């Protein structure tokens, strides 16, 4: 299966943005979804694991969810900061294989 | 704290091979799988495969099955990725990552730039 993300999203500081990740086939809940943030020039870092869990150190402005009915996962970022400008990737598993979404560029303007 | 430190940038000609290393520290190396992910210039993340450092068992993405070898040296807690028959399209940053808590890449190395040029 594939994971499809919007190529880009933009929002103003202080607002809330939702980034979607849609699975092309099968149940979104059948394997966990992770989200990664990649700032320009840096390696990616984990934001959300197991659909909605935050590693220690990740602000609670970042939250994850899944929706079986739409076969989608979502990353919600509230209280946007200019420092949130980055690329965001979702990731899931197809059995023993790893699948990444194509990435979403977030612009905070 | 857990850390993955990768080897430095490499440049190779078309048809050559490259080996990238990933030294793990701050945790028990054999407990967590190591994944390899690459990112071509201006592109997204592409998964290459994973290895169980304890058993040496590997799973490789179908696209790379005939060109990728992953192995490890347990005494030095180092994982290796070898990519053969390089083409210009293999120019990318190659990352190793530690799997944990359902995330394939809970902790990332800093990346290794591989340039394929003539």
């Amino acid at each position: 299966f594939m994971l499809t993300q919007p190529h880009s999203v933009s929002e103003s500081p202080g607002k809330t943005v939702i980034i979607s990740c849609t699975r092309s086939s099968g149940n979104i809940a059948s394997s966990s979804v992770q989200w990664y943030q990649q700032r320009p020039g840096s390696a990616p870092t984990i934001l959300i694991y197991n659909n909605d869990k935050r590693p220690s150190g990740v602000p609670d402005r970042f939250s994850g969810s899944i929706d079986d009915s739409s076969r989608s996962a979502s990353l919600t970022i509230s209280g946007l900061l200019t420092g949130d400008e980055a690329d965001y990737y979702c990731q899931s598993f197809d059995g023993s294989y790893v699948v990444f979404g194509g990435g979403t560029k977030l612009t905070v303007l | 704290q857990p850390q993955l430190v990768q080897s430095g940038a490499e440049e190779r000609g078309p048809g050559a091979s490259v080996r990238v290393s990933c030294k793990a520290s701050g945790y028990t190396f054999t407990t967590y799988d190591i994944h390899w992910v690459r990112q071509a210039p201006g592109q997204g993340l592409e998964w290459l495969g994973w290895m169980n450092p304890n058993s040496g068992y590997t799973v490789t993405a179908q696209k790379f099955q005939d060109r990728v070898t992953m192995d490890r040296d347990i005494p030095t807690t180092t994982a290796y990725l070898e990519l053969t028959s390089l083409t210009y399209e293999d120019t990318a940053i190659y990352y190793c990552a530690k799997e944990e808590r359902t995330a394939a890449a809970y902790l990332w190395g800093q990346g290794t730039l591989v340039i394929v040029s003539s």
Side-chain angles (χ1 to χ4, degrees):
Chain A
F1 63 86
M2 297 194 314
L3 296 173
T4 300
Q5 301 180 233
H7 182 69
S8 63
V9 295
S10 62
E11 190 48 271
S12 303
K15 300 291 190 180
T16 296
V17 70
I18 299 174
I19 299 173
S20 63
C21 170
T22 302
R23 180 168 167 151
S24 59
S25 62
N27 188 342
I28 190 72
S30 63
S31 55
S32 65
V33 176
Q34 281 63 232
W35 290 91
Y36 303 92
Q37 178 190 62
Q38 185 179 32
R39 292 194 171 99
S42 297
T45 59
I46 183 75
L47 267 184
I48 299 288
Y49 68 95
N50 201 12
N51 305 328
D52 58 6
K53 306 293 187 293
R54 273 189 314 275
S56 61
V58 173
D60 60 6
R61 299 187 298 106
F62 295 90
S63 62
S65 63
I66 61 170
D67 179 0
D68 283 352
S69 64
S70 63
R71 282 213 292 257
S72 289
S74 296
L75 173 69
T76 300
I77 310 173
S78 59
L80 277 169
L81 304 173
T82 55
D84 295 331
E85 276 208 348
D87 294 326
Y88 293 85
Y89 294 91
C90 59
Q91 173 260 308
S92 190
F93 294 90
D94 184 359
S96 294
Y97 297 91
V98 171
V99 181
F100 280 101
T104 299
K105 182 177 181 59
L106 169 63
T107 301
V108 181
L109 37 64
Chain B
Q1 63 278 28
Q3 188 174 229
L4 298 172
V5 177
Q6 298 184 226
S7 49
E10 304 272 11
E11 185 167 355
R12 297 283 187 273
S17 299
V18 68
R19 195 179 196 210
V20 176
S21 69
C22 170
K23 179 168 176 59
S25 61
Y27 72 95
T28 303
F29 176 62
T30 51
T31 300
Y32 299 94
D33 297 337
I34 293 286
H35 291 252
W36 291 92
V37 178
R38 76 179 186 180
Q39 186 171 38
Q43 302 300 308
L45 302 175
E46 182 174 31
W47 178 75
L48 282 77
W50 63 264
M51 177 189 64
N52 180 308
N54 186 47
S55 64
Y57 178 76
T58 62
V59 173
T60 305
Q62 290 184 341
K63 175 179 177 180
F64 300 104
Q65 271 182 356
D66 56 346
R67 296 202 297 135
V68 159
T69 301
M70 292 172 282
D71 62 11
R72 86 290 190 214
D73 182 70
I74 294 175
T76 61
T77 65
T78 302
Y80 297 93
L81 170 76
E82 183 176 36
L83 184 62
T84 62
S85 303
L86 291 169
T87 71
Y88 299 119
E89 287 68 38
D90 292 317
T91 294
I93 298 175
Y94 289 76
Y95 295 101
C96 63
K98 167 180 170 280
E99 179 171 337
E100 186 179 344
R101 305 188 200 191
T102 82
Y106 198 85
L107 174 70
W108 296 69
Q110 86 277 19
T112 296
L113 175 63
V114 173
I115 297 172
V116 182
S117 71
S118 55

